[in-house]
Amino acid sequence: MATFFGEVVVAPSRAGVDDDEAAEETLEDQEIRRELEKKREVDVLWSWRAGAAAQGAADEPISCSKLVVAVGHNAAAFLSSFILDSVCWEVVGVVKLWNEWCRTTNTTNVLPTDSFCLFYRLISDPTVLLCQCSCYVAEDQQFQWLEKVFGCMRKEGLQVTILSTCPVAEYKTQESTLTLPSPFLKALKTKEFKEPVCCPLLEQPNIVRDLPAAVLSYCQVWQIPAVLYQCYTDVIKLDTITVEAFKPLLSSEILKSLVKDTSESTKILKKLLTTNEAHNNIYI
């Protein structure tokens, strides 16, 4: 969890575990554990080196000036509607993972309800990357995700923007959450992020969780300028109002140069929602 108001680290404990009981793990148990660990490995498959002349260059870190990470269906739909354009962007990476809550698809042709994690590169400026992550990355998989994604990028000159959503019921305030104008945005940033933010900062004692918190914490440790924009909403499914709550970010320094013709954005968003509804009806 990331707060940057002051971190509390809980040391691992073996309380309640008998040494003899731990030693009694059978060979079969060990094999099952190894297989489960292997199954939970996170694989990041990059394709941006396709056509490169030097095979050895594939291991060299690439220059990346901007990375936008959208976590969750609504944040991903925001990028699809207002930023991504098949003419200007190309898929250069996919994350494959499995856990109790999701299994990513093996295709880049995804539905809004699919579990997926795709990386896009701006064709006119290959140093700009977008990530749409609609799959749940479990706590024990987050470190792998961070190491394998950021491990291939040069951290010098990198700036990161994270978009995510959260239930408004988790927002801590002295006021009643029933009177809050949901959805609304709050921001949390690293010390190195010096640009103006597009909404009020997240107040204490609020925290952020899961992959957005992991990415922001990673950037804090590596002194990478980063900002997280979290949308608090009372709708948990893909929703027009929640997606459009991110629109103030289109004027931010990192996104304003990436905005496509917004005249088609509403149409694209409606198409995403229609596809989502049709997909849900199949399983009702």
Side-chain angles (χ1 to χ4, degrees), residues 174-269:
Q174 293 181 347
E175 304 172 31
S176 170
T177 54
L178 296 175
T179 62
L180 293 173
S182 174
F184 59 91
L185 287 173
K186 292 290 182 177
L188 192 61
K189 60 180 183 174
T190 63
K191 292 178 181 178
E192 288 70 27
F193 189 86
K194 304 301 183 185
E195 294 178 6
V197 294
C198 301
C199 65
L201 292 172
L202 186 64
E203 310 93 335
Q204 299 185 45
N206 286 286
I207 59 174
V208 294
R209 305 176 186 275
D210 300 324
L211 186 61
V215 174
L216 195 65
S217 296
Y218 184 94
C219 292
Q220 176 76 7
V221 170
W222 286 93
Q223 301 181 337
I224 299 169
V227 60
L228 164 64
Y229 289 106
Q230 182 145 281
C231 177
Y232 287 88
T233 177
D234 53 7
V235 180
I236 60 173
K237 64 179 182 179
L238 192 59
D239 168 65
T240 307
I241 298 175
T242 302
V243 172
E244 292 187 337
F246 288 105
K247 286 176 74 173
L249 309 186
L250 296 177
S251 60
S252 67
E253 283 297 319
I254 198 169
L255 289 184
K256 66 182 181 181
S257 61
L258 306 178
V259 180
K260 64 184 180 184
D261 181 6
T262 55
S263 63
E264 296 294 316
S265 296
T266 304
K267 231 183 262 186
I268 294 169
L269 181 54

Side-chain angles (χ1 to χ4, degrees), residues 94-237:
V94 59
V95 176
K96 295 179 67 177
L97 61 85
W98 173 93
N99 57 50
E100 295 84 352
W101 295 99
C102 82
R103 179 181 298 173
T104 54
T105 59
N106 294 323
T107 176
T108 57
N109 243 344
V110 293
L111 293 170
T113 48
D114 288 339
S115 291
F116 63 91
C117 186
L118 300 177
F119 286 85
Y120 299 82
R121 179 174 62 180
L122 186 62
I123 295 173
S124 61
D125 183 357
T127 68
V128 178
L129 296 179
L130 298 185
C131 171
Q132 286 182 308
C133 185
S134 287
C135 62
Y136 175 72
V137 182
E139 188 175 338
D140 63 311
Q141 296 174 316
Q142 291 168 11
F143 181 74
Q144 292 184 64
W145 193 99
L146 294 168
E147 286 292 294
K148 292 182 180 181
V149 169
F150 285 97
C152 69
M153 302 176 190
R154 291 193 183 95
K155 297 174 179 63
E156 298 80 8
L158 173 61
Q159 187 170 346
V160 178
T161 300
I162 310 145
L163 314 179
S164 71
T165 56
C166 181
V168 72
E170 293 188 12
Y171 181 66
K172 293 178 175 60
T173 176
Q174 293 181 347
E175 304 172 31
S176 170
T177 54
L178 296 175
T179 62
L180 293 173
S182 174
F184 59 91
L185 287 173
K186 292 290 182 177
L188 192 61
K189 60 180 183 174
T190 63
K191 292 178 181 178
E192 288 70 27
F193 189 86
K194 304 301 183 185
E195 294 178 6
V197 294
C198 301
C199 65
L201 292 172
L202 186 64
E203 310 93 335
Q204 299 185 45
N206 286 286
I207 59 174
V208 294
R209 305 176 186 275
D210 300 324
L211 186 61
V215 174
L216 195 65
S217 296
Y218 184 94
C219 292
Q220 176 76 7
V221 170
W222 286 93
Q223 301 181 337
I224 299 169
V227 60
L228 164 64
Y229 289 106
Q230 182 145 281
C231 177
Y232 287 88
T233 177
D234 53 7
V235 180
I236 60 173
K237 64 179 182 179

